[in-house]
Amino acid sequence: MIRVELLVLSLLTVLSVVIGDTIGYLGESVTLSSGANPSWHITKITWSIYNNDTWIATFKGKNSNTEWFRQFKSRLSLNTSSGDLEIRDVRRGDELVYSVLLTHSQGEQQISKVPLTVTERLVEPSVRKVFSVLKDGLCVMALQCSSSVKDTSFSWEPEASFDGAFWRGSPNTNVSIVWTSYSPNRNVTFICTASNGLTNASKVVRETCQDEQPKPDVVVEGENRVPGIVKLLLGFLFGCLLTYIFRESLTCLSTRFNKSQSINKVGPTLSGVEKNSSLPIERS
């Protein structure tokens, strides 16, 4: 009788296991671990939510069903060997505490709690140069780091060998700006890291600031350099020559025009004299 009672108690013994948070990324797939002993031969699996009274996936004997709950329709896959549950196309509403009850061939049972946290996967942040100026022999530069993912925080770090000044601005919503000044004519590396509390993503940028050097006059090999004052004098003389030629042309045209007007006035006068006089008038 005692042996029978002990057998019944052993069959009713349920091991309780709490599994750490599982992170799922929006639009991707995530696998919830059952926490089963690899040596087990699992005969029954029940995945549920909401205080264990809403089934979402089950297995018993040779029958498997993953279409119990409409929210997960066509998105679940159950591994009947390990008891693990895969959720495809993860959504915000999938952020729940899942329970799985396992039974193996020896009759022992195990129940595990699996919390799922759903977040958006961080992508590499974007970094752009806000401004860069050369002042008092130093490069003064501002860089902006931003992310399209909400609730993102940022941190800035220069390269280990950086010996210039470095100020981190207070980040606004999804944007952080850093100010720096350093000696010119060298490359400097900065690292912006974005974090949402679960994952990180970094962007490495290399910036250069050059001294402004005066550009030398370009001289073609074999040619002599012409001083600027000579170029100016030649231009002035050429302008005077054009002015003289243009003025002479205008004078010539004006003379021809006046002569033509005088001939036109003399013609009618001679015709009147011929009519009033009986003497012949010789025309030259």
Side-chain angles (χ1 to χ4, degrees):
M1 185 69 178
I2 295 176
R3 290 182 178 178
V4 174
E5 290 179 354
L6 290 175
L7 178 61
V8 172
L9 289 174
S10 65
L11 290 175
L12 294 177
T13 300
V14 178
L15 300 176
S16 181
V17 178
V18 177
I19 299 177
D21 284 358
T22 301
I23 298 176
Y25 297 102
L26 288 172
E28 300 183 22
S29 297
V30 63
T31 298
L32 306 180
S33 175
S34 68
N37 190 319
S39 64
W40 280 11
H41 175 64
I42 300 174
T43 58
K44 185 178 179 181
I45 306 170
T46 304
W47 279 92
S48 58
I49 54 175
Y50 305 140
N51 297 322
N52 306 336
D53 56 5
T54 302
W55 291 356
I56 60 173
T58 58
F59 167 74
K60 185 178 181 180
K62 295 183 179 181
N63 299 319
S64 177
N65 188 347
T66 57
E67 300 295 327
W68 287 100
F69 198 55
R70 184 175 180 179
Q71 175 180 332
F72 299 99
K73 186 174 180 62
S74 302
R75 294 197 296 127
L76 300 180
S77 293
L78 182 60
N79 187 322
T80 57
S81 298
S82 64
D84 296 345
L85 181 68
E86 180 188 35
I87 305 176
R88 295 182 296 275
D89 187 20
V90 172
R91 303 166 186 175
R92 289 287 185 188
D94 297 340
E95 186 171 285
L96 301 166
V97 176
Y98 297 79
S99 299
V100 55
L101 177 63
L102 304 175
T103 304
H104 67 76
S105 57
Q106 300 300 318
E108 186 176 354
Q109 292 184 318
Q110 173 181 298
I111 185 168
S112 301
K113 298 288 187 180
V114 187
L116 174 63
T117 300
V118 177
T119 186
E120 188 174 355
R121 184 180 290 279
L122 277 179
V123 295
E124 187 179 81
S126 174
V127 176
R128 72 179 184 90
K129 187 187 299 183
V130 179
F131 70 84
S132 177
V133 296
L134 190 63
K135 184 178 181 181
D136 299 331
L138 291 175
C139 287
V140 181
M141 184 180 298
L143 301 174
Q144 175 182 289
C145 187
S146 60
S147 174
S148 59
V149 180
K150 295 181 179 179
D151 302 323
T152 301
S153 60
F154 302 92
S155 62
W156 282 94
E157 291 296 335
E159 60 188 0
S161 60
F162 184 73
D163 57 357
F166 195 75
W167 304 275
R168 300 175 183 87
S170 300
N172 296 320
T173 304
N174 297 345
V175 174
S176 176
I177 296 180
V178 65
W179 289 269
T180 181
S181 66
Y182 57 92
S183 57
N185 302 320
R186 65 186 178 117
N187 294 325
V188 178
T189 301
F190 300 97
I191 304 172
C192 175
T193 301
S195 175
N196 61 1
L198 298 173
T199 58
N200 299 329
S202 298
K203 174 76 172 183
V204 179
V205 293
R206 177 170 291 184
E207 297 294 342
T208 303
C209 181
Q210 298 288 347
D211 271 328
E212 294 184 0
Q213 300 292 343
K215 296 181 179 180
D217 293 338
V218 177
V219 179
V220 179
E221 186 176 356
E223 290 185 356
N224 294 325
R225 187 186 301 269
V226 180
I229 188 63
V230 175
K231 294 179 181 179
L232 181 62
L233 181 59
L234 290 175
F236 176 76
L237 293 176
F238 183 72
C240 292
L241 179 61
L242 289 179
T243 302
Y244 175 78
I245 294 173
F246 183 72
R247 186 174 59 185
E248 289 297 317
S249 298
L250 288 179
T251 303
C252 182
L253 289 174
S254 177
T255 302
R256 290 182 179 180
F257 178 78
N258 292 334
K259 184 180 292 185
S260 175
Q261 288 294 99
S262 299
I263 292 174
N264 290 337
K265 290 180 180 180
V266 172
T269 304
L270 292 175
S271 298
V273 173
E274 289 177 349
K275 290 180 180 180
N276 298 325
S277 175
S278 58
L279 297 176
I281 298 176
E282 293 184 1
R283 294 182 182 272
S284 60

